[in-house]
Amino acid sequence: MNVDGLRKKALEDLERAADRAALEGWRAKYLGRKSELATFLRGLSGLSMEERRTLGAKANTLRRELESRYRAAREDVSRAPRHEARFDITRPGKKFARGHLHPLTITLRRMIGIFSAMGFEVVEGPNIETEHYNFDALNIPPWHPARDLWDTFWLKTANPKSEIRPERIEGRNSRLLLRTHTSPVQIRYMETHRPPFRIIAPGSVFRHEATDARHEMEFYQVEGLMVGADVSLANFKAVMAHALKEFFGQKTELKLRASYFPFTEPSFEVLMSCAICGGRGVAKGKRCYVCSGEKWLEMGGAGMVHPQVFRNVGYDPETVQGFAFGIGAERFAMVKYKIDDIRLFRSGDLRFINQF
Amino acid sequence: MRILYSWLREFIAIKESPEELAELLSSSSFETVVAKRMGADAILEVGLLPNRVADASSHFGIAREIALIKGRKLRLAFRRPAAGSQHIAKQYTLSVSAHTLTRRYMLAAIAGVKVASSPPWLQKRLVACGLRSINNVVDATNYVMLELGQPLHAFDADKIAGRRIFVRPAKKGETIETIERKVYALSGRDVLIADAKGPLALAGVKGGRRAEISPSTKTILIESANFDPLATRETAKRHALKTDASWRFENDLDPNAAEAALYRVLELIKEVAGGAIMAGALDAYPKKVLPIPIVISVKRISRLIGEDIPAPRMVARIAPLCRSVKKIGRDALLLKVEPYRRDVKYFEDVAEEVARLVGYNSIRAIPPVAALLPARKNEAWMFRERLRDELAALGFSETYNYSFIADEHVVASGFGPGALIEVANPISGAYRYLRGMLLPNLLKNVRDNLRFFRDVRVFEIGKTFKTSSGKPAEAWRASGMIGRKGAAPQELFYEAKGVIEALAERFGLDRDDYGFHSGEGHEQDAVVRVGEEEVARIGMVPAHAAYHYDIEAPVAYFDIDTEALMRAVAEEHEFEPLHKYPDVIRDVSILVPAFTKVEEVENVIEGAGAKYLEDTDLFDVYDEGLPGDQISMAFHLIFRSPERTLTDEDVGRDMEKIAEALRRFGAQIR
């Protein structure tokens, strides 16, 4: 075999192998099982000792060289195929038909995410509630003037067509209504669980009032409840301050203002330094349009759970204590995205939704 | 409630400006704003909370609150004004039979008054607080109510028959004409002030016309009373008569306050209308309200607040509220809380006072310490959240609609009102029923958005409401609609179906796990079942509903029972080993008679006995350019073996079997 001739021819062929397929063809021809070189090397044993030493060594050297050149050629990117297409980078990209999540969904996820990270469990309750859970068990008896704080949608129960029959279960008021707050979930949860625990309960609530830019008859509330042996007001401040900072930014300040709810004692209003003007009351030289120059925004209500509420669910108020809060999702979204009309949330208007 | 800054200063030294005072009250007590500045004076608007109306619905009450917060002294000393020798008990008698509803009833008398208009200073204050000036006697009673919080009423004594005043339940059929000349029919649950002839006033709510103060009035009887909160609230509600007096009574005033107010009004009437005060007063006060004893633990209050507050500091804060504070143990204090603070009854109420007076905003925030247990996951919640993401990824935008639907939607939605839950006091007919399904409101979304968009794809995940065996039932649904101007109905129908298929694939449901079945309604609907359970419906919005909503474009819908879908997914999703050898794909295109269903053809292909056929995938259907009785279908056929790479011969044998079966079925292979 003419080793030098074979080498020359192989190297010339390799130069011409322009792509992967040609390269594989070259490998089969010069290094494959049926190649001249392989055949020769297999037949070495039939040669004399002298020939084996000289020609054999030469052929083996050639095989190693061709193998190494083959590997190098495979890795040589200049053989990579080229796209000849030209692009106009100023042309708009192709539009993919993605839908949009509603801003309430986005807001609720962020709110829930913040509390979940602190170990709060997500719990839900019914939208149709009984008078017992919505009022009585929360220390708001029927005669209580505080009931006027919640304008209520009642459901028809006497109507034979509606088929709902009112019944008093163990002397409880079972008149049906649409829950005016998510606080009944507190009662339902505590009736079936023992402290310590921490929960959040997101859900729709209903108020019988005329709608305008600031009032809705249906909106989303996120209720929170943490109960244990020594869960304190100071703890509430830490949890709520953290949540507000996470949601609106680290510069956000929390302030509490005395308030009144029959199911908490003490009760307070949760205020936050205005996220728009940074709590200065002035933005761009004008009175801040979000807090109207008040510097503080009301974000929800809270308090330490009233002992009567604990007694109503069979807890001993001497040994457990805790905080509860209710914050509005629309309110959070409105401040976050500077939305000025609460009715947009339930307008179904894609000109609004598709901005999110 | 309006409060005059200058009036407050009669009871307490105030260094703060009106604005500073408003800020102080807002942060410690009740939300307060400066409603109007008048030179150095100002009107404050105080948003009283229900539990503080009893003690703070007056200028003196607000001054007392400021004194408490700032630790200042109050100025107040009302003594019984000098009276003549004639004793009221010689002239009048009082008979209270509505015992349980009348906690206290006091009467005093002045003879020889001159009814005229009030002096300007008095008129000015009343008007600034939002009241009308009537005459000097009536104005004096209103003035003292604003000053001390105790409602008062003056009767013309000469118009009272028999010199005997009855406080009694109204009789059925009785009526009263009020000072506004309105007549009310009374119920047995109303309490009346009456004489032998009949009603003189509706207790705690409104005075009657018969004994009202007139220019000719000479002798007056003044009532300072305390009526049961619940009874007053019910009476005011029953007659739709909410007054300044009823508002205060229904919030549980302190009966002890009646006396000081009576002295004060006698003094003021004498000042502005003259006359001679009769000695004594008639006073029916069977059950004296005493200070409320509360035992508190200093440690427990500290624990509730989360900050150590030493006992002396705590005592200094709450002592002004108490008649006495006594140490009764190492950690325990016995408080006797003044009865005017009707809201302080329990240990926690005291804790609130302490927290409030320490200042909510000076309490240090301390992160809670709790066992490091991760929150249990709410699977249903998470599943719905995932559904939202999947539907958005499929090009649908999310809406939130009201839980209410209108009368006419009941018709359009095809639900009879019988299954729906009706609101007893709806805002309007447009929100009379709770929605039994999400579709009616979504259809409205489609209609509204088609004004601005050619192609509308919306979805909602929300609760629906129905009655089920006499009880209300709530169910989550995920529904969506596609409306597109100029589209063929089929195009939209198959998109709706595609949504279900895409979701099924994403959630790991195989085609063997679920199927589409024709709905029992009309043929433009299909029911999606997993096993026996219905998980969804898809279809076209019926023409009459679209017409009702004024929609001309075709609209397709899908309507998923999220809980059923979640159950199906939880059962079905299992891992399958990855296939090792590549698929071989062959296409087959056939002509079949029109109205042949794709499912029938697929059954033929899959039942042909092909050894390696893995999947049949329709990719084209058309009838254009074909004779009217034929349609063309084209399928990708996917072949696979778990053992080796398939050869042309393997697939060829299978293809022959399939072709043979199709020919037997009557299809023409192209």
Side-chain angles (χ1 to χ4, degrees):
Chain A
M1 192 189 71
N2 179 355
V3 173
D4 292 329
L6 183 64
R7 179 173 180 275
K8 187 162 172 272
K9 199 158 158 279
L11 293 186
E12 277 169 13
D13 273 2
L14 185 61
E15 276 305 299
R16 282 194 290 270
D19 57 21
R20 277 262 147 98
L23 200 56
E24 288 309 306
W26 181 88
R27 194 182 72 94
K29 186 174 173 193
Y30 293 102
L31 289 165
R33 276 172 50 81
K34 291 173 185 166
S35 65
E36 193 185 347
L37 195 55
T39 313
F40 174 76
L41 285 168
R42 268 198 305 276
L44 271 183
S45 54
L47 297 179
S48 70
M49 275 299 281
E50 182 60 24
E51 277 176 322
R52 249 190 273 174
R53 214 177 45 235
T54 54
L55 271 179
K58 238 178 144 179
N60 260 320
T61 307
L62 178 61
R63 193 192 65 190
R64 276 195 295 276
E65 184 194 349
L66 292 185
E67 274 172 359
S68 129
R69 280 183 185 265
Y70 165 75
R71 276 197 302 275
R74 262 192 77 92
E75 282 160 21
D76 179 5
V77 290
S78 71
R79 280 190 174 79
R82 247 167 250 180
H83 297 286
E84 291 303 323
R86 292 163 58 96
F87 305 105
D88 174 2
I89 58 160
T90 66
R91 224 182 79 177
K94 178 168 166 47
K95 287 210 167 40
F96 292 92
R98 287 284 308 214
H100 297 260
L101 288 176
H102 194 279
L104 265 181
T105 293
I106 298 167
T107 303
L108 280 163
R109 280 187 186 176
R110 289 197 57 204
M111 293 170 83
I112 289 165
I114 291 165
F115 287 104
S116 296
M118 290 190 273
F120 283 74
E121 182 184 339
V122 180
V123 171
E124 294 176 273
N127 291 14
I128 297 178
E129 265 299 358
T130 61
E131 191 173 2
H132 171 79
Y133 282 105
N134 196 75
F135 290 123
D136 301 349
L138 288 162
N139 198 30
I140 320 168
W143 51 267
H144 205 291
R147 280 218 178 170
D148 294 348
L149 295 173
W150 296 275
D151 293 314
T152 309
F153 282 110
W154 296 93
L155 299 180
K156 266 200 184 167
T157 48
N159 177 8
K161 275 195 287 180
S162 82
E163 288 179 13
I164 304 177
R165 289 178 293 273
E167 47 189 308
R168 285 178 76 82
I169 306 153
E170 293 160 22
R172 288 173 168 184
N173 276 320
S174 62
R175 265 208 299 167
L176 295 174
L177 48 81
L178 292 173
R179 64 177 175 192
T180 59
H181 43 198
T182 37
S183 307
V185 185
Q186 289 183 26
I187 304 296
R188 289 181 177 274
Y189 187 86
M190 288 195 283
E191 281 179 342
T192 50
H193 296 78
R194 307 300 302 172
F197 57 76
R198 45 198 192 277
I199 57 166
I200 43 165
S204 295
V205 300
F206 304 83
R207 301 281 168 85
H208 190 278
E209 61 183 338
T211 56
D212 61 30
R214 306 216 150 235
H215 298 90
E216 252 298 2
M217 58 179 174
E218 180 171 354
F219 54 95
Y220 247 84
Q221 216 171 41
V222 176
E223 183 86 9
L225 176 68
M226 179 168 185
V227 177
D230 50 13
V231 176
S232 68
L233 203 166
N235 292 159
F236 169 74
K237 285 186 75 171
V239 168
M240 188 49 75
H242 173 75
L244 292 174
K245 281 181 201 292
E246 284 286 292
F247 196 96
F248 291 104
Q250 294 303 316
K251 283 186 181 152
T252 310
E253 294 292 327
L254 165 77
K255 191 162 109 171
L256 301 183
R257 182 159 71 198
S259 188
Y260 168 71
F261 306 105
F263 38 94
T264 50
E265 188 75 51
S267 304
F268 20 83
E269 206 96 38
V270 176
L271 306 185
M272 168 182 99
S273 57
C274 177
I276 305 306
C277 62
R280 285 183 298 275
V282 178
K284 289 180 190 148
K286 278 191 231 152
R287 202 171 72 150
C288 175
Y289 62 96
V290 174
C291 65
S292 342
E294 295 285 317
K295 302 174 189 167
W296 296 91
L297 295 171
E298 284 176 28
M299 302 307 290
M304 304 304 292
V305 180
H306 196 284
Q308 190 56 46
V309 173
F310 281 143
R311 276 192 281 272
N312 291 346
V313 297
Y315 287 7
D316 176 9
E318 296 290 323
T319 58
V320 294
Q321 59 183 48
F323 62 75
F325 61 83
I327 44 185
E330 278 87 349
R331 181 78 175 137
F332 272 58
M334 287 173 84
V335 175
K336 180 81 190 168
Y337 300 115
K338 304 183 189 176
I339 297 166
D340 59 1
D341 191 332
I342 196 170
R343 290 168 296 191
L344 282 168
F345 291 100
R346 278 171 178 74
S347 66
D349 193 332
L350 293 179
R351 290 172 300 164
F352 169 67
I353 294 159
N354 288 355
Q355 293 182 29
F356 295 91
Chain B
M1 184 185 66
R2 289 190 189 177
I3 290 291
L4 273 178
Y5 180 70
S6 55
W7 200 342
L8 288 176
R9 302 183 103 162
E10 292 179 9
F11 303 110
I12 188 170
I14 296 176
K15 291 168 261 180
E16 293 83 1
S17 70
E19 288 75 16
E20 286 164 349
L21 192 63
E23 176 61 33
L24 175 73
L25 285 168
S26 288
S27 66
S28 303
S29 312
F30 352 82
E31 198 179 347
T32 303
V33 292
V34 177
K36 198 176 163 193
R37 255 333 277 238
M38 301 168 299
D41 201 1
I43 299 173
L44 305 177
E45 184 65 49
V46 180
L48 272 191
L49 297 160
N51 65 331
R52 295 300 302 278
V53 172
D55 73 285
S57 59
S58 66
H59 287 79
F60 177 67
I62 297 293
R64 189 162 54 191
E65 180 70 10
I66 298 166
L68 180 67
I69 306 167
K70 299 302 281 184
R72 284 183 204 153
K73 275 211 146 55
L74 267 180
R75 289 192 292 258
L76 182 79
F78 293 128
R79 254 166 297 142
R80 168 120 231 209
S85 55
Q86 198 180 30
H87 199 280
I88 184 172
K90 296 246 165 67
Q91 299 287 321
Y92 300 95
T93 51
L94 175 63
S95 158
V96 179
S97 60
H99 295 297
T100 53
L101 304 181
T102 310
R103 303 201 292 202
R104 186 174 197 180
Y105 198 87
M106 292 187 82
L107 276 177
I110 305 184
V113 295
K114 250 189 98 176
V115 177
S117 54
S118 300
W121 66 266
L122 201 163
Q123 289 196 24
K124 252 163 100 182
R125 282 195 166 175
L126 286 185
V127 171
C129 291
L131 265 60
R132 258 178 335 121
S133 170
I134 314 279
N135 57 49
N136 49 6
V137 172
V138 174
D139 286 0
T141 60
N142 283 332
Y143 185 90
V144 175
M145 176 179 73
L146 295 178
E147 186 171 74
L148 299 178
Q150 169 69 44
L152 300 156
H153 189 69
F155 299 98
D156 185 333
D158 300 324
K159 289 177 189 153
I160 292 169
R163 296 184 169 257
R164 191 179 179 88
I165 307 285
F166 298 90
V167 183
R168 60 163 172 87
K171 290 171 206 146
K172 235 185 143 188
E174 262 184 314
T175 60
I176 186 167
E177 185 182 2
T178 63
I179 47 178
E180 273 93 14
R181 280 39 180 172
K182 280 194 192 136
V183 178
Y184 294 87
L186 302 172
S187 112
R189 279 146 74 197
D190 295 323
V191 178
L192 282 180
I193 317 303
D195 62 8
K197 275 206 257 171
L200 295 170
L202 192 52
V205 180
K206 202 86 197 163
R209 182 181 180 184
R210 189 151 60 81
E212 76 176 318
I213 304 298
S214 70
S216 58
T217 300
K218 290 281 171 282
T219 308
I220 55 175
L221 278 174
I222 300 152
E223 162 200 300
S224 183
N226 191 292
F227 300 103
D228 180 72
L230 175 57
T232 310
R233 182 173 157 80
E234 284 190 342
T235 293
K237 268 202 151 168
R238 191 159 38 241
H239 302 295
L241 254 178
K242 227 172 146 53
T243 60
D244 285 329
S246 73
W247 173 60
R248 287 178 169 84
F249 284 127
E250 71 178 53
N251 281 292
D252 194 11
L253 293 179
D254 174 18
N256 297 310
E259 199 171 343
L262 190 57
Y263 295 158
R264 172 68 179 129
V265 77
L266 287 173
E267 181 188 68
L268 186 61
I269 290 174
K270 196 174 172 179
E271 183 189 331
V272 298
I277 300 170
M278 286 188 203
L282 302 176
D283 187 2
Y285 189 20
K287 213 175 133 193
K288 192 168 163 60
V289 174
L290 297 170
I292 301 157
I294 304 174
V295 175
I296 61 161
S297 146
V298 174
K299 281 212 185 79
R300 248 191 89 200
I301 289 187
S302 292
R303 196 174 76 202
L304 192 75
I305 294 172
E307 187 167 302
D308 268 330
I309 299 164
R313 186 158 169 234
M314 213 177 275
V315 171
R317 296 286 179 177
I318 52 183
L321 282 179
C322 304
R323 198 154 300 171
S324 66
V325 179
K326 208 158 95 192
K327 202 162 186 290
I328 56 166
R330 272 185 60 187
D331 177 50
L333 297 171
L334 171 66
L335 313 180
K336 294 242 169 118
V337 178
E338 290 285 3
Y340 66 77
R341 279 302 295 269
R342 313 293 286 167
D343 62 315
V344 182
K345 292 195 170 98
Y346 303 104
F347 164 80
E348 274 76 6
D349 302 324
V350 179
E352 171 170 53
E353 287 304 305
V354 173
R356 208 159 67 79
L357 297 173
V358 166
Y360 287 131
N361 297 305
S362 40
I363 295 168
R364 210 153 45 90
I366 303 168
V369 174
L372 186 60
L373 281 175
R376 199 171 331 141
K377 288 199 167 70
N378 185 327
E379 300 284 350
W381 174 273
M382 292 196 315
F383 184 76
R384 291 195 302 268
E385 292 306 302
R386 192 168 157 210
L387 257 182
R388 290 182 214 275
D389 284 334
E390 298 295 352
L391 289 169
L394 290 170
F396 288 80
S397 285
E398 188 184 23
T399 64
Y400 278 64
N401 286 297
Y402 289 116
S403 298
F404 304 96
I405 54 169
D407 299 343
E408 72 246 37
H409 296 175
V410 175
V411 181
S413 69
F415 265 115
L420 292 176
I421 296 170
E422 191 176 348
V423 178
N425 55 337
I427 293 270
S428 75
Y431 308 105
R432 187 184 303 281
Y433 293 98
L434 297 187
R435 59 185 180 186
M437 55 199 318
L438 304 179
L439 299 177
N441 285 334
L442 279 168
L443 195 53
K444 217 165 68 171
N445 296 153
V446 170
R447 192 244 339 254
D448 295 345
N449 283 300
L450 277 173
R451 286 179 54 223
F452 299 100
F453 302 92
R454 197 184 63 82
D455 181 10
V456 174
R457 276 172 290 173
V458 286
F459 79 95
E460 178 171 13
I461 296 184
K463 271 186 176 174
T464 59
F465 310 86
K466 269 183 245 179
T467 54
S468 164
S469 48
K471 288 204 165 56
E474 301 181 12
W476 284 95
R477 292 197 85 85
S479 309
M481 282 195 182
I482 313 164
R484 191 176 303 143
K485 284 180 196 160
Q490 289 86 341
E491 179 184 336
L492 301 189
F493 180 91
Y494 293 122
E495 282 181 27
K497 188 173 174 189
V499 168
I500 300 292
E501 289 168 334
L503 289 176
E505 194 196 337
R506 293 289 291 153
F507 287 117
L509 287 176
D510 282 345
R511 280 309 304 258
D512 310 341
D513 301 327
Y514 72 101
F516 293 88
H517 309 271
S518 30
E520 60 270 22
H522 50 100
E523 55 193 29
Q524 293 184 322
D525 280 330
V527 177
V528 184
R529 289 202 193 96
V530 173
E532 291 297 299
E533 186 165 27
E534 177 178 331
V535 295
R537 276 170 187 259
I538 56 165
M540 299 304 295
V541 168
H544 69 269
Y547 180 81
H548 174 87
Y549 281 87
D550 246 345
I551 300 172
E552 279 168 19
V555 183
Y557 73 88
F558 60 85
D559 183 19
I560 302 167
D561 178 337
T562 63
E563 278 141 58
L565 180 61
M566 191 171 96
R567 277 192 299 276
V569 168
E571 282 162 18
E572 292 300 336
H573 205 174
E574 267 179 34
F575 168 78
E576 277 177 27
L578 308 181
H579 52 220
K580 283 193 196 136
Y581 301 97
D583 294 341
V584 176
I585 301 170
R586 294 285 169 84
D587 293 349
V588 64
S589 172
I590 57 170
L591 282 176
V592 284
F595 306 114
T596 305
K597 288 193 169 157
V598 171
E599 195 177 14
E600 295 175 68
V601 179
E602 281 177 345
N603 287 342
V604 169
I605 294 172
E606 280 160 15
K611 195 170 169 193
Y612 301 110
L613 182 67
E614 185 68 28
D615 200 6
T616 313
D617 192 3
L618 179 79
F619 68 91
D620 194 24
V621 179
Y622 69 93
D623 55 8
E624 271 165 66
L626 294 173
D629 55 349
Q630 285 194 312
I631 52 171
S632 164
M633 295 182 187
F635 296 89
H636 296 304
L637 304 178
I638 294 130
F639 298 91
R640 185 187 301 162
S641 159
E643 284 132 19
R644 60 193 170 85
T645 305
L646 292 175
T647 62
D648 279 356
E649 295 83 61
D650 296 330
V651 177
R653 274 194 301 277
D654 272 0
M655 282 298 288
E656 197 37 59
K657 281 184 191 158
I658 290 166
E660 179 53 34
L662 284 170
R663 275 192 291 270
R664 273 204 309 276
F665 176 67
Q668 186 187 331
I669 298 174
R670 310 177 80 198

